[in-house]
Amino acid sequence: MPKLNEIKTQIQMRKISYSLVLLSFVLFSGCKLQKMMKAAKDQQLEVNPNPLEVHADTVKFDVSVNLPVKMLKPGLVYGVDLKYLYDDKEARFERVEVKGDDFPSSDTQEPRVVEDFQFPYTEGMGNGVLVMQGVGIDPNKNKETDPQPEPALEIARGLITTSKLVQTPSYSAMVSYDYKDGDIDGWTPEEELEPTNVNFYFSQGSSVLRSSERNGERGKFFQAFIAEKNVTRTVSITGTHSPEGAERINSSLAQDRADVIEDWYRRMMQRYDYKGAADSINFILKPVVEDWTEFKMALEDYDGIDQSQKSEILNVVNGSGSFEEKEDALHKLSSYKAIFRDIYPDLRTAQTEILTVIEKRSDAEISVLAKQIADGELPADTLSYGELAYAAYLTPSLSEKAAIYEATVGTYDNWAAHNNLGAVYLAMAAAGEGSGNLEKAVTQFEISNNKKSNPYATGNMGVAELQTGNTSKAYDDINSAVGMSLPSKDVQGFNGVKGAIEIKKAAYDDAVRSLSSSTNEPDNLFNKALAQVLSGDNQNALSTLDELEDADSDYAMGQYLAAVASARQGNEDDAVTHLTSAVSSDSSLKEKALTDLEFRNISGSEAFQNALK
């Protein structure tokens, strides 16, 4: 048997041999990592876009990592760590890993990996840098090298923040003072005509207006009406006759009956001293001859015969034959005596319709009364709802509008009044007048919609939501409102706000469509051009900015955006010209332009530097 000392010696030799093998493996593994990291100096990293850009409050980019041939080894991993450094802060990203086992042909082909990244944008990030460091990793040994290079390598500098130039317009949709429906009784300063109807009846075959008609209830009403000297535009007199022989044989009977009423009307105007006013009244005479319309209407309401007899009569009237032949056929029916007695006399008429001008308060009177109502000196029902709404329309003062509508909703508690009060509060909030107006506006829109779901309050609520920063809810409300029944001016107004939100959402093509259907306000034109720039349509953006220049030549940001569009086209001369105009209108744009990466390709030129002196 081997001696004990010999056995111990053999064991020790085996341990030493194993340790040397292990150390050799570790050193070999470490050597491979170091070689991989040494080869990494020839790697190619590309960032897209470069510089980075912010869209919809998010910075999105991708990084492609191209490694040299023979750099990767089986079992090893090359990692890329990315950070965006800004204002003593940093945004870290998940490590990019390029695994040797995933690229078996790495000895002959360059391994390539592309990864997408994003991070939320906050103010102050614009001047940051995107940096990288690489590490060699042996997953089997849970080992990785120190990050290289040290300090980290810059691969992209700064952010393009052009999308943040979007202007946030405010719009308030008011229900018009002349709006009318089942709940709302609007009012208009325009002339309106009111009809007054009086029918006079004649004896069979006669056009003589009997004294019983002249002095009876209808005649007295007629005379009293004319005596009031109402401002009259037209007097329409429709003379008619009944179908039976004594009436039909006199073809001028209907005309004669109309003439009699016109003559009587004119003589009474002379009596009541109308003077020249009579010449402005248009008399329209409409004799109705051989027409069954009035007869059939009267028959429908008549209950002196049964339905079968009515059907028998209608078969004759609606059948073939001349007017006389039909009347002769009716004469043979058993029901004829009843209709001759009860229906025919009412057909021997002169139907008179007088259109007179409705008397209205003047603008000045309405304004004075509305102010007294707003001040609590008169009850709100001194004026109608429509008159109060018109008074609010007349004053340019938002505070006066609010006072009028505050008084209005106390008496006329309808959805339109509450919407309009909220719309005034919303306009006051946008103008920076007073505090708490935004919250008060939201309350009024909620009340309006609770009383009746309507597009005015819905769209206005969206505008209010936008001002509070709730972009998603704002978009839903405004999009819903423009899809409902609204006057075109309000659809255009809301489309301006909708387009601004779509820019914030980075839906640039949608924004162009919305803003193309909005009002030509300067902010809307600017936003449309901005959406075109951001969607890559720089030439049309410049055309839109020409429109903006015509609408408001002092709109400095319009010239600034024109400089951006020109720079994106590579047109340095136009970019400098527009930039010169922009800083001339607003000197604060000098500092912005000096750090704006939109001008990175021309910022070193003498012309650019001179424009910003």
Side-chain angles (χ1 to χ4, degrees):
M1 290 182 64
K3 293 181 180 179
L4 182 59
N5 289 337
E6 292 176 351
I7 293 173
K8 289 180 178 180
T9 301
Q10 291 175 3
I11 292 173
Q12 289 174 348
M13 291 297 294
R14 288 174 182 170
K15 287 182 178 179
I16 293 171
S17 176
Y18 178 77
S19 298
L20 289 173
V21 170
L22 180 62
L23 178 61
S24 174
F25 180 80
V26 171
L27 291 174
F28 178 70
S29 174
C31 182
K32 288 197 295 181
L33 286 176
Q34 294 302 326
K35 285 184 177 180
M36 182 173 69
M37 293 306 295
K38 185 176 181 180
K41 64 181 178 59
D42 294 324
Q43 68 184 311
Q44 295 182 352
L45 274 73
E46 294 182 1
V47 180
N48 181 50
N50 190 357
L52 304 180
E53 298 178 5
V54 56
H55 299 279
D57 289 327
T58 302
V59 180
K60 295 182 179 181
F61 63 97
D62 65 63
V63 175
S64 64
V65 181
N66 289 48
L67 300 181
V69 173
K70 298 181 181 181
M71 173 180 163
L72 283 181
K73 301 299 179 185
L76 299 184
V77 177
Y78 178 68
V80 177
D81 291 329
L82 300 169
K83 292 185 291 186
Y84 185 77
L85 308 176
Y86 66 98
D87 193 24
D88 297 328
K89 301 175 184 177
E90 64 179 40
R92 288 180 174 269
F93 309 98
E94 186 175 348
R95 173 177 285 174
V96 180
E97 292 188 346
V98 189
K99 300 177 181 179
D101 292 341
D102 291 342
F103 296 93
S105 301
S106 62
D107 281 348
T108 57
Q109 295 179 352
E110 292 183 347
R112 183 173 185 269
V113 171
V114 180
E115 295 286 350
D116 295 324
F117 300 92
Q118 68 178 49
F119 61 94
Y121 172 81
T122 59
E123 291 294 332
M125 285 185 167
N127 294 323
V129 292
L130 182 67
V131 298
M132 65 77 60
Q133 288 181 307
V135 293
I137 307 166
D138 185 343
N140 296 318
K141 298 300 180 182
N142 194 27
K143 180 179 180 181
E144 68 178 53
T145 65
D146 292 332
Q148 298 179 13
E150 184 61 47
L153 177 67
E154 178 185 314
I155 56 175
R157 173 172 286 275
L159 278 173
I160 288 179
T161 59
T162 301
S163 66
K164 308 303 290 183
L165 297 179
V166 60
Q167 304 298 300
T168 304
S170 182
Y171 181 79
S172 302
M174 304 278 288
V175 182
S176 178
Y177 51 80
D178 59 358
Y179 178 91
K180 291 186 178 184
D181 65 12
D183 303 315
I184 312 301
D185 186 16
W187 186 88
T188 175
E190 303 299 323
E191 180 177 284
E192 291 183 289
L193 300 178
E194 181 177 34
T196 299
N197 296 284
V198 184
N199 292 346
F200 293 99
Y201 297 90
F202 294 83
S203 298
Q204 182 184 12
S206 172
S207 62
V208 175
L209 189 61
R210 294 168 293 178
S211 60
S212 60
E213 288 293 302
R214 295 175 185 272
N215 301 322
E217 182 179 347
R218 289 186 296 275
K220 289 179 179 178
F221 171 81
F222 195 58
Q223 293 182 62
F225 181 85
I226 296 174
E228 291 177 356
K229 295 186 180 180
N230 296 285
V231 179
T232 304
R233 292 289 178 255
T234 64
V235 178
S236 299
I237 305 171
T238 304
T240 67
H241 67 82
S242 58
E244 95 286 350
E247 291 270 312
R248 74 176 187 236
I249 60 174
N250 186 351
S251 60
S252 66
L253 189 58
Q255 177 69 51
D256 292 343
R257 286 169 174 169
D259 288 341
V260 165
I261 300 303
E262 179 186 0
D263 179 66
W264 188 35
Y265 196 114
R266 290 186 180 277
R267 282 190 284 111
M268 280 192 289
M269 286 195 298
Q270 291 177 356
R271 177 191 302 177
Y272 295 115
D273 195 24
Y274 266 64
K275 295 183 178 178
D279 296 334
S280 66
I281 299 175
N282 181 26
F283 281 85
I284 303 171
L285 303 187
K286 298 184 290 186
V288 177
V289 179
E290 298 185 355
D291 189 318
W292 292 100
T293 302
E294 293 288 335
F295 173 78
K296 288 192 286 186
M297 291 174 60
L299 181 65
E300 183 178 355
D301 295 333
Y302 182 51
D303 57 7
I305 57 177
D306 60 32
Q307 190 59 45
S308 63
Q309 290 173 307
K310 287 185 179 183
S311 297
E312 192 177 37
I313 292 170
L314 289 173
N315 286 337
V316 172
V317 172
N318 295 330
S320 60
S322 67
F323 191 86
E324 290 81 0
E325 289 172 340
K326 291 179 181 179
E327 206 287 325
D328 288 341
L330 290 177
H331 195 274
K332 299 174 183 178
L333 299 178
S334 61
S335 59
Y336 182 77
K337 287 184 179 180
I339 63 174
F340 182 84
R341 180 187 67 244
D342 298 331
I343 294 181
Y344 279 12
D346 287 342
L347 301 180
R348 303 163 189 150
T349 67
Q351 302 168 1
T352 307
E353 181 185 70
I354 309 165
L355 294 180
T356 55
V357 177
I358 298 174
E359 187 176 352
K360 296 184 179 183
R361 293 183 174 96
S362 67
D363 289 5
E365 185 178 3
I366 288 175
S367 296
V368 169
L369 292 174
K371 186 176 188 313
Q372 291 176 310
I373 290 170
D375 292 340
E377 298 172 5
L378 289 175
D381 60 5
T382 302
L383 294 176
S384 69
Y385 161 75
E387 288 173 319
L388 283 167
Y390 182 63
Y393 163 79
L394 288 175
T395 176
S397 167
L398 291 176
S399 60
E400 289 180 5
K401 289 180 189 289
I404 292 172
Y405 273 115
E406 285 165 352
T408 301
V409 296
T411 298
Y412 302 102
D413 186 26
N414 60 57
W415 65 267
H418 284 286
N419 171 80
N420 287 3
L421 177 56
V424 175
Y425 287 148
L426 184 60
M428 293 174 76
E433 294 186 18
S435 60
N437 283 317
L438 194 57
E439 293 78 7
K440 291 194 290 185
V442 169
T443 299
Q444 293 301 318
F445 299 144
E446 289 174 345
I447 294 173
S448 178
N449 261 331
N450 286 336
K451 288 185 174 296
K452 178 183 177 180
S453 179
N454 66 89
Y456 298 90
T458 300
N460 286 336
M461 182 69 83
V463 177
E465 293 283 0
L466 181 61
Q467 292 190 17
T468 62
N470 192 345
T471 305
S472 179
K473 180 67 165 55
Y475 186 76
D476 290 343
D477 284 343
I478 293 175
N479 201 41
S480 176
V482 298
M484 300 166 72
S485 179
L486 271 174
S488 59
K489 68 179 181 63
D490 293 317
V491 172
Q492 292 175 342
F494 284 135
N495 270 335
V497 184
K498 181 169 174 271
I501 296 174
E502 285 162 341
I503 293 176
K504 293 174 182 287
K505 291 161 59 74
Y508 302 128
D509 290 339
D510 291 341
V512 172
R513 283 190 288 271
S514 295
L515 291 160
S516 295
S517 300
S518 68
T519 57
N520 284 332
E521 298 294 325
D523 283 350
N524 290 339
L525 289 170
F526 175 83
N527 282 344
K528 178 182 175 181
L530 176 61
Q532 289 168 326
V533 167
L534 295 170
S535 63
D537 190 3
N538 294 296
Q539 191 56 51
N540 277 325
L542 288 168
S543 297
T544 303
L545 290 167
D546 285 340
E547 294 181 50
L548 174 57
E549 172 73 10
D550 293 338
D552 185 353
S553 59
D554 294 326
Y555 202 102
M557 284 305 300
Q559 290 292 340
Y560 189 91
L561 185 60
V564 170
S566 298
R568 288 192 174 201
Q569 289 182 319
N571 190 332
E572 179 180 347
D573 290 342
D574 284 355
V576 169
T577 298
H578 289 303
L579 201 55
T580 301
S581 296
V583 298
S584 176
S585 297
D586 183 355
S587 60
S588 68
L589 292 176
K590 291 181 180 180
E591 183 177 352
K592 177 176 177 59
L594 286 170
T595 59
D596 193 338
L597 293 175
E598 291 281 12
F599 305 118
R600 62 193 178 279
N601 294 327
I602 64 172
S603 60
S605 73
E606 182 178 356
F608 180 85
Q609 295 296 326
N610 288 337
L612 300 181
K613 283 184 178 179

